[in-house]
Amino acid sequence: MQPKLGLTGWLRWFWRQLTSMRTALFLLLMLAIAAIPGSLVPQRSSDPNGVTQYFADNADLAPILDKLQAFDVYTSAWFSSIYLLLFISLIGCVIPRTKHHFQALRAKPPTTPARLGRLSGFTTQDAPAHTDARAAITHARTLLKSSGYRVVRFDSDTESSVSAERGYLRETGNLVFHAALVGILVTVGFGGGYGFSGQRVIVEGQTFVNTLLAYDSFNPGRFFDDTTLDPYTLSLDDFAVSYEQQNLQAYGQPVDFTADVTVTPKGEAAEPGVVKVNGPLRTNGTSIFLLGNGYAPTIQVTAPDGTVVFSDSVPFLPQDANLTSLGIVKVPDGLAEQVGMIGFFYPTQDKAASGANFSSYPDLEYPLLTLNVYTGDLGLDAGVPTSVYSLVTDTLTRQTGGETGVASIELKPGESAELPGDLGTVSFVDNNPAATAADDFTQSVPRFASFDIHHDPTQIWLISFSMLVLFGLFTGLLVPRRRVWVKATTRTDGTVHLEYAGLARGDDPALEGAITNVADRHLKLLKTHQPVAANPESI
Amino acid sequence: MNLTDTALLNSYSLYALYSAMAIYAFAFIAFAVDLARRSSAVSAMESDLTEVDAAASVGRVVAAGRTSTLERPAVKRPVLSRISARMDDDAALPYGRSSSLRVGVALTVLAWALHLAATIMRGFAADRVPWANMYEFALTGTLLIMTVFLIVLIRSDLRFLGTFVTGLVLVLLGVASLQFYVEVAPLPPALQSAWLVIHVFVASLATGMFALGFALSTVQVLQFRRENRVREDAAAGRSAVASGRRLRFLSTLPSSATLENLAYRINIIGFILWTFTLMAGSIWAEQAWGRYWGWDTKEVWTFIIWVIYAGYIHARATRGWRGSRSAWLSIIGFSAVMFNFGIVNVFFKGLHAYSGLSL
Ligand code: HEM
């Protein structure tokens, strides 16, 4: 019969289990396995569109998976509990080891074992004639000490020895490594709450003010205070893209994106800046990243009486590598009816055999804008926020394209067309009417860039902890921790017998070589320091 | 660099690569012949040496290294001794170097030189580091696997792994040149970063380490089985000849304990490099995408591999997990590395779409 454990007994038992090496190993392997589903199923955090698509494709399975938090694996209850348990285990493991290590750092190396023969690298040799056992050990002690060992010597009538230990840094490194892992977890877990990230599309020539309302989307951390936003302004002066034109294998592949911007901190002088892919602009406590780009055709809608009711450069979202782009124009006011338009923009328009338009090159070689016109209630007055990038056509009447029998509107830069039903006129404004050649469209359509603006006060911490992790790994895995003993025994005939041996504490491939090395150097030392008068009788 | 030079250099690179592959294939055959010869030599020796084997394979592990200074000339052992020390040949049946083994190594070195030339020419043709798409990554990665192998050979006699290493490199190069081949193309802006150079290079180097660790762990598991069988046979009073019918060459390889230590040493270096890869990748991700970690599929797998090897290191310090069990973690770890490279890059959706392939 097992003796009954009280509650504290059980708790203690549980704690011991949790902080055992076996549990740590089990939890680590569980963590590896638990991370796998997140690579098989799209995740809301990294691929929200993929999740929507998955729901559409697997209508039966998706809700079940969703219940299991399969679309949010890395914040799921089960994944979190594994790593939290692991880190509790880690802390429970590291604290006693740290205490123990502090004691070991102050303790002296242990007494020399009576018999060294069974230990690693056991080596024996006879000391040169006239060597004194104690003097030999003094030399051994100096030798080991200068090689970074902590030493303690033991002397008796017949026998002297030195016990040495080195490599405390191994355990230090190991502890630093594990503690730094905790540091990273805490930094990531809580630190993220103090930052924000926001996205904003800016068309060439436009300016953005770093305030909450100016963002297209804004994700503050839990502890982030909006009023701390630094209201600097950011203007996109020019967005340049260069495309590969020599190498036919990669023709049209973008080789460079450069956003020339102007940053104006509040109340200070404007300063120019550059944002590139892989080259964020760090300014005013934020980092500005270049995430995407595309065309923003300038579209103008005029009422029959000549008043301009809409005039804007509308960002069109790229649909393929050659920048076939899709955009929406909404004209709620000023015309006889509300008008919505779905537009396609082709920077270099081409026609497929089927008659469909497509873009064959991403730069502005032969730009074309096509528009399909809808009329009816755009749903903007209901007070429900709607996306500027989509048009709900259910409640609208289609006026061009499709089955209407009316051709879609097709415009080149600088051209205009009548809207159906005498609603008015739509124009595709040429941004560079002064172009000298008639077929030079290079500047005719402005580009937009989408920027991601971040503030993350924790990065410096993360870098520091990561450095500690690396330091801990290097020392914890590669510094050998070992004990070495040298013993000198005086035989009855007065000659001195030397023994060397070591003990590895942890993996130590070079231990035997090290013992051999100590023995060799010791012998050399004894030879060069032949004590002339150490043994008076023999003179 | 103008286009004709690019095309010319790239075609030279391909010729060099195909020649290297052909020579690796011959090296593979030579190494395989060596293993076969070891097996038949074992049969011959076993008929002389019946029960001695059992005693030897158990006793020798302990005895290995007990030589005193006076018997062994003091050799200066530089850094590499960390890996190779105690790699004394404690094989149950000693076996010298056969001529086919020497031929295998010579051919491997020759093929490696051509492989190196192919990689460098590809880099010059593209005017950048030759590891920016799957094909180039395979080219450089296999070159590093081979380089690590050849460097380790200088210090420890791991020639018996030749069949595995040349075989692995051949398969990877075959897949790369048939399935992943893409023409020289300029770097897309997302890859124009110093971190491409560092991150991918260190990842390849870590892969080279893990590959060797995998091979050693595999042989370790097989060797451990053989040792057990030999021990059981000895206990049952059966002759050792009956044991180990399959893979008889194992008797000429180091003991499972030696293989385990060696695998561990190589894997921990791989692990440190992998940790660095993970960190460098995060720094790069922050610069390119504005977040250092986003559980993108490639990041997930890098993490999984890291955790598996952390598990492996722990297993070696956990009672009941030393030996074959921890070896399995090393085997699983490298399988995950290969999965990450071959499957995740090509078939999984994610930001790291850098295979250069359009499926
Ligand atoms: C997030 C979880 C953990 C990770 C990623 C991790 C990783 C590692 C790594 C990489 C090493 C080798 C590095 C070195 O020695 O400096 C190591 C060693 C070690 N870890 Fe952990 N560890 C974790 C949790 C734990 C826990 C919970 C324990 C205690 C139960 C623990 C105990 C140890 C011990 C004793 C060693 C030394 C092993 C040896 O001497 O070979 N670790 N760990």
Side-chain angles (χ1 to χ4, degrees), chain A residues 158-212:
Chain A
T158 52
E159 178 179 294
S160 283
S161 69
V162 57
S163 168
E165 180 155 1
R166 57 149 289 161
Y168 297 85
L169 194 55
R170 186 187 185 89
E171 181 70 358
T172 309
N174 186 302
L175 293 172
V176 166
F177 168 83
H178 286 91
L181 284 186
V182 179
I184 287 183
L185 183 77
V186 171
T187 312
V188 172
F190 296 100
Y194 290 96
F196 71 81
S197 73
Q199 290 74 38
R200 167 67 197 236
V201 164
I202 308 179
V203 179
E204 282 175 311
Q206 288 185 353
T207 296
F208 153 82
V209 186
N210 185 29
T211 53
L212 198 54

Side-chain angles (χ1 to χ4, degrees), chain A residues 123 247 253 255 278 289 454 509 520, chain B residues 69 74 184 186 190 192 284 286 290:
Chain A
T123 302
N247 186 340
Q253 180 189 313
V255 287
N278 271 313
F289 298 91
H454 289 197
D520 290 341
Chain B
T69 353
V184 171
Q192 292 168 11
W284 185 11
E286 197 275 337

Side-chain angles (χ1 to χ4, degrees), chain A residues 19 21 24 89-90 93 97 174 177-178 181 472 476, chain B residues 271 313-314:
Chain A
T19 57
M21 204 66 189
S89 165
L90 174 57
C93 188
R97 276 175 62 197
N174 186 302
F177 168 83
H178 286 91
L181 284 186
Chain B
F271 182 75
I313 291 172
H314 276 213

Side-chain angles (χ1 to χ4, degrees), chain A residues 273-305:
Chain A
V274 174
V275 189
K276 293 173 82 98
V277 179
N278 271 313
L281 178 65
R282 319 265 181 195
T283 180
N284 294 282
T286 57
S287 302
I288 303 171
F289 298 91
L290 178 59
L291 278 204
N293 76 100
Y295 289 102
T298 309
I299 297 171
Q300 202 172 67
V301 179
T302 320
D305 66 0

Side-chain angles (χ1 to χ4, degrees), chain A residues 21-22 24-25 28-29 31-32 35-36 39-40 45-47 50 74 79 117 119 121-125 177-178 181 188 244 246-247 249-250 253-257 277-280 282 287 289-291 452 454 456 458-459 462-463 466 469-470 473-474 477-478 480 507-510 512 516 519-520, chain B residues 1 3 65-70 72 74 77 81-82 85-86 88 183-193 261 264-265 268-269 271-272 275-276 279 283-284 286-292 294-297 300-301 303-304 306-308 310-311 313-321 329 348-349:
Chain A
M21 204 66 189
R22 198 179 293 267
L25 176 57
L28 269 173
L29 298 181
L31 188 68
I36 295 175
S39 69
L40 305 176
S45 56
S46 54
D47 184 14
Y74 306 104
F79 190 80
L119 296 163
F122 180 61
T123 302
T124 61
Q125 58 194 14
F177 168 83
H178 286 91
L181 284 186
V188 172
E244 177 63 43
Q246 283 204 348
N247 186 340
Q249 308 292 345
Q253 180 189 313
V255 287
D256 185 57
F257 298 112
V277 179
N278 271 313
R282 319 265 181 195
S287 302
F289 298 91
L290 178 59
L291 278 204
D452 222 350
H454 289 197
D456 184 353
T458 61
Q459 278 178 8
L462 274 179
I463 284 280
S466 304
V469 161
L470 271 186
L473 271 187
F474 265 106
L477 287 173
L478 299 181
D507 180 69
D508 186 359
E512 271 146 30
T516 315
D520 290 341
Chain B
M1 167 130 345
L3 282 172
R66 278 238 206 109
T67 27
S68 77
T69 353
L70 304 178
R72 182 164 53 178
R77 290 186 166 225
S81 70
R82 293 199 163 282
R86 269 209 303 198
D88 311 272
E183 295 294 337
V184 171
L187 274 188
L191 293 183
Q192 292 168 11
S193 166
N261 284 336
Y264 179 72
R265 259 156 243 161
I268 56 176
I269 294 175
F271 182 75
I272 295 174
T275 309
F276 181 80
M279 289 173 180
I283 296 175
W284 185 11
E286 197 275 337
Q287 282 191 2
W289 303 319
R291 90 285 186 290
Y292 48 81
W295 296 109
D296 175 69
T297 40
V300 170
W301 277 93
F303 173 77
I304 291 173
W306 189 78
V307 174
I308 294 175
I313 291 172
H314 276 213
R316 288 253 320 167
T318 308
R319 225 174 325 127
W321 276 79
L329 287 178
F348 284 37
K349 200 176 146 199

Side-chain angles (χ1 to χ4, degrees), chain A residues 393-437:
Chain A
T393 53
D394 306 353
T395 55
L396 301 177
T397 315
R398 187 164 190 172
Q399 302 293 349
T400 65
E403 275 142 30
T404 58
V406 183
S408 308
I409 295 171
E410 296 198 354
L411 299 173
K412 305 195 59 54
E415 293 180 351
S416 303
E418 293 295 319
L419 289 170
D422 296 327
L423 283 167
T425 315
V426 59
S427 331
F428 179 9
V429 178
D430 187 344
N431 233 46
N432 184 23
T436 40

Side-chain angles (χ1 to χ4, degrees), chain A residues 110-140:
Chain A
T111 10
T112 312
R115 264 185 281 162
L116 294 179
R118 295 210 139 261
L119 296 163
S120 312
F122 180 61
T123 302
T124 61
Q125 58 194 14
D126 290 321
H130 315 307
T131 306
D132 173 69
R134 292 191 183 212
I137 290 305
T138 307
H139 283 305

